[in-house]
Amino acid sequence: MPTPYRYVTPVPVEAATGRVAEVYRQIARDFGLTRLPLFLTLSPAPDVLAATWALLRESLLAGEAPRAAKEVVAAGVSLANECPFCVDAHTVLLHATGEHRLAETIARGERPPDPEHARLFDWATATATATATAATATTGGGRRPPCPPDQAAEHIGTALAFHFVNRMVSSLLTADLLPAGLQRSRLVRRLGGGALSGAVRRRPPRGEALPLLRGLPAYREPAWAAGAPMGAAFAALLACAGEGAALLDDEAVEAVLDAVAVWDGGHPPLSGWPSGPLADVAPARRPAARLALLAALAPYRVTDADVAAWREAGGGRSDADLVRLLAFGAISAVERVEAGLTATA
């Protein structure tokens, strides 16, 4: 049977040990599914897996903001990032909240009719073009989400989680949530949501993902989180994903970061990119730099040939290396988005 996994062999649920097994157990308990393709495909890098799950759990699943509102944010970000796998997944999860009309509106890529959901949807889709410049701050890029102040951190955390998740999903998985694209059926989406409704309507306690981060490196805790658990999770993800830079030489890291620093949030041109930004990188180092930059700014363009060239240039890199390399590119873009979201927060 076809699987959604393109380049990584996941750690099976039955064979998982240590941190990976702990993450899998918490996903099954709090998400209601024992096998989520994204987290399975991150499993060769347990630190990246744990930090990604912790940020998603503490932002999307736990907290006070309505789950449907946060699902709108997750779906809006995923639409902006052209990640059909995640759009389909969060359409199903919106059905699970009981918001059936809203779910199908999102499935069509349309703006929700409810004013509160519409404002959140507009904010979420605009986060992709947020930068820390005054120019975008005046057009709505650098501002808090349109919600009660005590819920802002949950929406910001959810948006940033999915800017990272979308990039990893688009790089490592196929576009189909279910075999043969069954998720494109409205009936299947609604039935899938029904099966998950019990888990989705439970609100797990805050902070229970944080023990999964013990022993992991950490970076700065963001001011926007105001000490909430998703802040520690985001700090761990910044640090763990950032360590993927060690798979590149200094010249390649600089080329990737320079390209991200001038990114306007749009989709890069089809012609001459990413060759232009990587022109000064040594030829032997370009396959790795290309994958990192694609993961940052155009993950849906990662191809079999890109991954094969990287493996050949590196003498046979591991699945863990691939996850870490892509995570470095993805988190570079997420940091850029975060700077825009919080510029005037």
Side-chain angles (χ1 to χ4, degrees), residues 3 39 70 98 138 152 158 169 176 193 287 335:
T3 74
F39 295 106
K70 290 189 283 189
T138 62
T158 296
V169 164
D176 281 336
E335 284 195 271

Side-chain angles (χ1 to χ4, degrees), residues 25-114:
R25 281 193 291 270
Q26 198 166 101
I27 290 171
R29 183 192 71 197
D30 293 342
F31 222 112
L33 291 170
T34 57
R35 289 170 173 79
L36 284 176
L38 166 68
F39 295 106
L40 286 165
T41 206
L42 297 182
S43 61
D47 53 345
V48 176
L49 167 67
T52 303
W53 163 248
L55 177 59
L56 185 147
R57 182 200 185 275
E58 299 301 335
S59 298
L60 178 67
L61 275 61
E64 299 303 319
R67 177 67 180 270
K70 290 189 283 189
E71 291 292 345
V72 168
V73 170
V77 170
S78 301
L79 281 164
N81 287 330
E82 298 186 4
C83 182
F85 186 104
C86 290
V87 173
D88 290 338
H90 292 283
T91 299
V92 171
L93 290 167
L94 276 167
H95 275 296
T97 69
E99 294 277 3
H100 303 299
R101 181 184 177 198
L102 174 60
E104 290 307 308
T105 300
I106 294 289
R108 295 190 298 270
E110 297 173 2
R111 190 171 185 261
D114 175 79

Side-chain angles (χ1 to χ4, degrees), residues 162-210:
F162 281 92
H163 275 293
F164 184 79
V165 164
N166 292 163
R167 285 165 167 80
M168 300 305 288
V169 164
S170 293
S171 298
L172 290 168
L173 298 175
T174 68
D176 281 336
L177 176 65
L178 296 173
L182 287 173
Q183 75 283 347
R184 298 188 187 97
S185 161
R186 179 174 180 170
L187 176 61
V188 170
R189 289 195 294 265
R190 186 156 182 164
L191 288 173
L196 292 172
S197 62
V200 166
R201 293 179 185 186
R202 288 194 300 269
R203 184 167 294 180
R206 287 176 170 174
E208 291 190 352
L210 298 190

